[in-house]
Amino acid sequence: MWFQQEGLIMGSNACAPSGETMQNILSMAQIGGIMPDVALDRTLAGYLSLNSGTALTSHYEAIQERLSKDQLAFFNQNLTSTFGGNKVTLGRTGVVALALSLFLDIVANDIMGLPTPDPMQRFLGVTHSSIGNIIGDYLRKVPEVVNNSDGMADITDLCDLELKFELIDLFERMTLHGQLNSRNLKLWLNGAAIHLHVRIHGIRLGSVPQGSAESLRLSYSTAFPSLVRRYTGYLRRYIRETPPSPRTHATGFLVIEPNRNASHWVKHSPCESRAIENSLLAHIINAQRVPSTEEYLENLGKNLNLLVRHRNDFELTKKGV
């Protein structure tokens, strides 16, 4: 276990909560929607890797399976019109594959009359943010310039520059100005992952020096463990739990961080609250998959040259036509 509880062993004394009590507390936190999620998004990590082509192809085929023959014809016509043909240069690589996957969703959902959820909410954990606006604007523009190397270089360089300053600003606000919380940490981590691959794509296009991707990766790899340590201390300060009161019939109360709290009816001895708080902290930190994120950043460095040389195109298969 990456994060160890501090000297607390379940069942070792009268004030240690039972496994059932902890499971009930965790269930109440889940039901109340107050469990933090600051982890690297799995879907995002899949596209921002050497497996991006496989991820895009699987997504493309799944969408085609859901469409009727008439819908497929309209779907294919829309894609061909946008891309200017049946082939997308570097379409199965990194941020381009990510952008195309989102564009396929938009086109298909529009044909089927379905809403398209905000991808920034899914990837970054927030709907409105400067970082999300920059990334969202970039990903929306990619399908329009995919076969125009100059246009792609222009929007990629601009996104790279803007993300650099916004992520530095967010890091400083978290570390120097007391703005570290679950929302900002998830925004920073997933924004940094996208930024790294925007930089890598700039190298593919020949618009930025190759060494700049490794220096950026090292800065994020160094910053991440530091932020996790600060985040752990932040949660330790705020996590509080009180049991229901049998005398006043008041509900129990669970606080994870400011504006993230819930009532509960899990009965237990008041002296167990401290152990419950420590166990909650351990559970939350372990749930963030910190080792896998550190491994992702490490592997990105090992595979950097392969990622830069990753130049697979995307071709429309036009099933059902």
Side-chain angles (χ1 to χ4, degrees):
M1 186 177 287
W2 181 85
F3 181 87
Q4 298 293 330
Q5 298 177 54
E6 296 180 350
L8 293 172
I9 302 175
M10 292 294 186
S12 63
N13 60 64
C15 287
S18 67
E20 181 181 7
T21 295
M22 277 309 309
Q23 187 56 52
N24 289 336
I25 290 287
L26 290 170
S27 295
M28 290 295 99
Q30 294 285 0
I31 293 170
I34 64 171
M35 292 297 285
D37 172 20
V38 302
L40 181 63
D41 182 86
R42 294 182 190 272
T43 300
L44 190 63
Y47 279 104
L48 303 182
S49 72
L50 290 170
N51 296 321
S52 57
T54 300
L56 178 61
T57 298
S58 297
H59 188 58
Y60 179 44
E61 292 175 349
I63 288 176
Q64 289 179 307
E65 291 296 326
R66 296 200 301 267
L67 299 176
S68 68
K69 185 174 181 179
D70 289 342
Q71 289 173 332
L72 262 176
F74 190 46
F75 180 69
N76 291 325
Q77 181 182 10
N78 195 311
L79 297 184
T80 302
S81 174
T82 300
F83 302 148
N86 298 329
K87 182 178 179 180
V88 179
T89 304
L90 303 181
R92 298 177 75 242
T93 58
V95 289
V96 183
L98 175 63
L100 293 187
S101 75
L102 301 178
F103 181 68
L104 296 178
D105 283 337
I106 292 171
V107 175
N109 288 339
D110 185 58
I111 291 172
M112 293 185 289
L114 301 173
T116 300
D118 181 7
M120 294 305 103
Q121 173 65 45
R122 176 161 47 116
F123 295 146
L124 305 180
V126 295
T127 302
H128 302 293
S129 68
S130 297
I131 290 171
N133 290 341
I134 293 167
I135 294 171
D137 186 56
Y138 174 72
L139 296 177
R140 281 189 295 271
K141 289 178 179 177
V142 164
E144 301 171 3
V145 298
V146 281
N147 292 321
N148 177 349
S149 58
D150 289 339
M152 180 67 82
D154 287 343
I155 67 167
T156 300
D157 290 350
L158 178 61
C159 180
D160 184 353
L161 184 63
E162 290 179 335
L163 280 181
K164 172 185 174 182
F165 290 117
E166 287 295 336
L167 286 163
I168 288 173
D169 178 68
L170 179 57
F171 181 81
E172 291 180 346
R173 285 191 281 118
M174 288 191 293
T175 57
L176 301 177
H177 304 294
Q179 296 184 30
L180 177 61
N181 53 43
S182 298
R183 174 192 183 276
N184 284 341
L185 182 53
K186 185 171 184 76
L187 176 60
W188 181 88
L189 174 59
N190 288 271
I194 294 173
H195 184 210
L196 279 166
H197 278 265
V198 169
R199 177 69 59 85
I200 289 170
H201 195 52
I203 295 172
R204 282 194 200 103
L205 298 170
S207 58
V208 291
Q210 181 150 349
S212 64
E214 176 60 8
S215 62
L216 186 65
R217 186 195 69 84
L218 285 172
S219 68
Y220 287 148
S221 296
T222 302
F224 177 63
S226 172
L227 286 174
V228 171
R229 287 192 294 271
R230 289 172 179 267
Y231 180 66
T232 302
Y234 159 81
L235 289 179
R236 184 177 286 112
R237 289 195 302 273
Y238 282 107
I239 290 177
R240 293 292 180 270
E241 189 278 335
T242 55
S245 171
R247 290 180 296 178
T248 64
H249 302 289
T251 63
F253 201 59
L254 178 61
V255 177
I256 302 297
E257 59 185 316
N259 302 316
R260 197 181 288 265
N261 54 70
S263 300
H264 72 82
W265 287 104
V266 181
K267 297 179 181 179
H268 64 82
S269 170
C271 78
E272 295 176 0
S273 288
R274 180 63 183 276
I276 288 172
E277 292 163 1
N278 283 324
S279 295
L280 271 170
L281 175 62
H283 177 88
I284 290 169
I285 296 300
N286 282 322
Q288 309 314 313
R289 307 190 302 275
V290 171
S292 65
T293 299
E294 292 178 329
E295 184 180 8
Y296 172 84
L297 292 170
E298 182 180 348
N299 287 338
L300 194 151
K302 293 178 181 177
N303 296 325
L304 194 54
N305 290 333
L306 290 175
L307 287 165
V308 170
R309 294 197 300 269
H310 196 202
R311 296 177 176 275
N312 293 346
D313 298 333
F314 175 67
E315 296 190 17
L316 304 180
T317 55
K318 296 189 175 182
K319 290 183 178 180
V321 177

